Amino acid sequence: MLSTPEVLRRTGGRPVKSIIFDEAAIAAKVEALGAEITEAYPDGELLVLGLLKGSFIFLSDLVRQIERPIQVDFLVASSYGHSKVSSGTVRLVYDPKTRLEGKHILLVEDIIDTGKTLKRMMTLLAARRPRSLAICALLDKELAVEIRPELRFVGFRAPPAFLVGYGLDHAENYRHLPFIADLE
Ligand code: IMP
Ligand code: MG
């Protein structure tokens, strides 16, 4: 258990099991991803779409490492509608105001677990006739291989643990941690 004063001050006294990716490792990876994205899109309009809420910190760091013109917008998805049970369909709770047609779309996600949400989101977005549609995920748990969407840009392979920090939450807590930790 990791219970340094710096961790405990941020978590309200709850220790985390371990820090999986620290600030320096994340910063280096985000810089590399930004360079990769800059290189991958030599021409055309590029719209970077962050899937809220989990991607908010990653997205804000990532866009500052992309050295080409881009537009930024957000998506909010819900897979549950008003029911507590999954209906199996994904609804857009917030639909980007920006036009998608004819643009390169880069969907930015914090972590891919089963990949279900993202797979359905890709189908929804493809219907808007973008010029291209790709995914950038900071973390990939590499589970459920048969339904996983294709990930064009991936930061880290993640262990099959419950991770928090750098945008990732547990019941809306811990999103603000500057590192990624295994809660246990
Ligand atoms: P999927 O549809 O199963 O791939 O679920 C992906 C979503 O589940 C992510 O966008 C996260 O919001 C959430 N999630 C999956 N794994 C974790 C985790 O380890 N910590 C926090 N949230 C997670
Ligand atoms: Mg979440």
Side-chain angles (χ1 to χ4, degrees):
M1 280 308 205
L2 193 63
S3 50
T4 62
E6 304 82 74
V7 166
L8 297 184
R9 210 164 39 238
R10 288 183 156 110
T11 61
R14 180 166 178 182
V16 297
K17 193 173 169 202
S18 62
I19 290 179
I20 309 289
F21 302 110
D22 66 16
E23 287 185 71
I26 295 171
K29 186 59 79 176
V30 172
E31 189 181 346
L33 281 172
E36 213 184 310
I37 292 165
T38 304
E39 190 73 19
Y41 293 97
D43 63 333
E45 287 182 280
L46 174 57
L47 172 63
V48 180
L49 274 181
L51 198 51
L52 292 177
K53 293 182 239 179
S55 74
F56 84 108
I57 296 181
F58 175 42
L59 182 87
S60 67
D61 283 344
L62 181 68
V63 294
R64 284 175 284 180
Q65 299 297 333
I66 299 177
E67 297 176 356
R68 83 183 301 284
I70 60 168
Q71 295 177 334
V72 179
D73 208 333
F74 299 92
L75 279 178
V76 183
S78 161
S79 28
Y80 299 94
H82 294 295
S83 137
K84 286 204 174 75
V85 184
S86 175
S87 60
T89 53
V90 172
R91 222 163 41 90
L92 284 178
V93 180
Y94 169 77
D95 202 335
K97 297 277 177 281
T98 326
R99 188 179 51 84
L100 270 56
E101 191 173 338
K103 291 180 184 169
H104 293 297
I105 307 297
L106 182 61
L107 189 55
V108 176
E109 171 68 311
D110 51 357
I111 186 164
I112 313 296
D113 189 352
T114 67
K116 263 185 180 170
T117 313
L118 210 50
K119 189 97 186 170
R120 297 210 180 91
M121 192 58 53
M122 291 293 273
T123 309
L124 270 176
L125 294 175
R128 312 272 178 93
R129 295 150 47 90
R131 178 166 166 186
S132 71
L133 183 55
I135 296 169
C136 174
L138 179 64
L139 300 152
D140 181 12
K141 284 190 179 170
E142 303 182 293
L143 301 173
V145 275
E146 77 282 3
I147 56 129
R148 52 186 288 112
E150 196 204 322
L151 307 178
R152 177 129 180 232
F153 307 97
V154 182
F156 302 105
R157 288 184 175 189
F162 198 81
L163 305 179
V164 295
Y166 200 68
L168 296 163
D169 73 304
H170 176 250
E172 296 303 328
N173 297 308
Y174 310 111
R175 289 194 198 274
H176 67 306
L177 301 180
F179 46 80
I180 295 168
D182 179 351
L183 197 58
E184 180 224 16

